[in-house]
Amino acid sequence: MLGLSYARGEYIGFCDSDDFVDVASFKKAISIAKNYQCDVILLRSVVFDSVTGESYDFYDTHWWDYILQEKAFAVVTAISAPAVFRLEPNANTRLLKRSFIEKENLSFPLGLDFFEDFTFHVAELAAAKIFMYDKTGYYYRVNRAGKLTEQKSTKRFDMLKSVDLAFKEASSRNVNMSGWAYIICIACRVMYWCGQNTLVKDRRRFFELSTELIQKNVSKELFCVCMETFIDEQEKVLLSALKVGAVNFLVTHASAGRIRAVDTFRLLLSKDYGKEARRVVIKMFFSKVKSSLYNK
């Protein structure tokens, strides 16, 4: 935020100290995006391992492919392509017009040490005309000693505050039902990931708060839209578990423990929100039984 207050350039970008950007790709993207008067410029990212030197696709590659449909670039909005909310909520993978930031009064929430990107991600994309350029612009480093996002601590609770603020942004910016579905989907994923990386003693409390957030913000209608929007069974089960408050299931699953039958009761018994989850849990149960018999 201090940097933003001093910035005078036409476009604003961010880069973490352990990552790097392809300046040439960013410059090329700007030269094209200006013709379309876009507010936000997005480029693909690549993950690279600091130890092995290997690189692989970024976490949102599927959604880039889904939106671009093999085009060299696309100009979209949250209305025409609500799946943009599913792109990785990382402020570093994009450029924003400084005038757009000022006009929309965009800011990173103060008081959060980690995960402040999520709120900014939702607010900017809800309001922007977006240029998506099918080139790699950002290189995200992993497997580095001291990397903050790979540490387990109580700071993971910052994600819950960020998600709560993001939901408020979505409401104030009149995001439509399709956009909300994608926001809920990515929120479930990031909260679950953070839940996996909390300290063991804090994990139950983390998922109790997570279920409260989802229960407060996801209506039955929105839940049904989400179930049609999610791309895999794991996400459907995750949302169902958060919606019905299956905390024991979430804690055990996140801890890679053996899920007991009793932990699935909330999913199995919920008539309104557990239908998809019931189907998958039952499928998992019979798969385990079959595997057990085969091994004998």
Side-chain angles (χ1 to χ4, degrees):
M1 291 304 299
L2 183 63
L4 281 173
S5 70
Y6 279 96
R8 295 294 177 266
E10 184 177 0
Y11 291 87
I12 302 293
F14 304 93
C15 182
D16 285 352
S17 59
D18 55 343
D19 303 334
F20 62 94
V21 299
D22 186 325
V23 177
S25 292
F26 273 113
K27 290 176 69 175
K28 181 63 175 178
I30 289 172
S31 68
I32 302 173
K34 279 186 174 182
N35 298 325
Y36 297 91
Q37 299 180 319
C38 292
D39 307 303
V40 174
I41 298 172
L42 301 177
L43 289 91
R44 288 185 185 259
S45 301
V46 166
V47 179
F48 71 99
D49 192 301
S50 186
V51 174
T52 67
E54 296 179 347
S55 298
Y56 49 90
D57 287 342
F58 203 53
Y59 313 115
D60 57 6
T61 294
H62 167 84
W63 293 105
W64 270 89
D65 295 341
Y66 175 79
I67 297 170
L68 286 181
Q69 297 293 315
E70 299 185 348
K71 296 191 293 287
F73 66 84
V75 177
V76 302
T77 66
I79 300 296
S80 67
V84 293
F85 288 117
R86 278 302 305 262
L87 300 177
E88 190 70 12
N90 187 325
N92 300 330
T93 62
R94 59 202 66 183
L95 296 171
L96 298 92
K97 291 188 73 171
R98 185 164 59 86
S99 59
F100 170 72
I101 295 174
E102 294 169 352
K103 174 188 172 187
E104 295 297 329
N105 196 28
L106 298 173
S107 65
F108 293 95
L110 300 178
L112 297 182
D113 293 328
F114 295 149
F115 313 122
E116 68 283 351
D117 300 40
F118 192 80
T119 304
F120 197 82
H121 171 79
V122 170
E124 70 177 67
L125 296 184
K129 185 177 182 182
I130 305 158
F131 181 80
M132 296 181 64
Y133 190 43
D134 192 23
K135 295 290 183 181
T136 299
Y138 198 79
Y139 293 80
Y140 180 74
R141 188 192 306 266
V142 296
N143 201 14
R144 179 185 68 81
K147 189 173 181 64
L148 294 178
T149 53
E150 294 175 3
Q151 297 175 6
K152 293 186 177 182
S153 75
T154 56
K155 292 301 182 182
R156 297 285 171 178
F157 282 79
D158 281 358
M159 179 58 83
L160 301 180
K161 299 176 186 176
S162 189
V163 167
D164 187 38
L165 290 171
F167 288 165
K168 289 181 171 63
E169 287 284 357
S171 294
S172 67
R173 296 178 184 277
N174 298 315
V175 172
N176 65 18
M177 190 67 76
S178 294
W180 261 105
Y182 284 108
I183 292 170
I184 293 298
C185 180
I186 189 67
C188 287
R189 291 189 71 92
V190 296
M191 286 193 297
Y192 179 73
W193 171 69
C194 280
Q196 287 180 299
N197 290 283
T198 54
L199 298 171
V200 174
K201 67 181 182 66
D202 296 325
R203 200 161 289 162
R204 172 168 294 279
R205 180 58 180 158
F206 184 93
F207 281 115
E208 288 174 347
L209 295 174
S210 299
T211 58
E212 289 176 13
L213 264 177
I214 293 300
Q215 289 169 346
K216 182 175 68 174
N217 289 281
V218 179
S219 65
K220 184 174 181 179
E221 180 186 7
L222 177 54
F223 178 88
C224 292
V225 175
C226 288
M227 283 300 184
E228 296 172 359
T229 302
F230 286 15
I231 61 169
D232 60 41
E233 292 182 336
Q234 183 181 21
E235 290 178 344
K236 293 177 180 179
V237 173
L238 178 56
L239 174 61
S240 297
L242 288 166
K243 182 60 181 173
V244 303
V247 175
N248 287 340
F249 177 88
L250 289 164
V251 170
T252 305
H253 197 280
S255 304
R258 183 177 181 181
I259 296 174
R260 303 170 300 169
V262 68
D263 295 333
T264 67
F265 279 176
R266 283 184 179 270
L267 293 170
L268 295 172
L269 298 178
S270 174
K271 294 181 180 180
D272 289 335
Y273 303 107
K275 182 178 179 181
E276 184 66 25
R278 281 201 307 276
R279 184 181 69 78
V280 179
V281 169
I282 291 171
K283 180 180 177 182
M284 289 167 54
F285 174 78
F286 282 110
S287 176
K288 287 185 177 182
V289 170
K290 182 178 179 181
S291 176
S292 176
L293 292 174
Y294 178 79
N295 289 334
K296 287 181 180 180

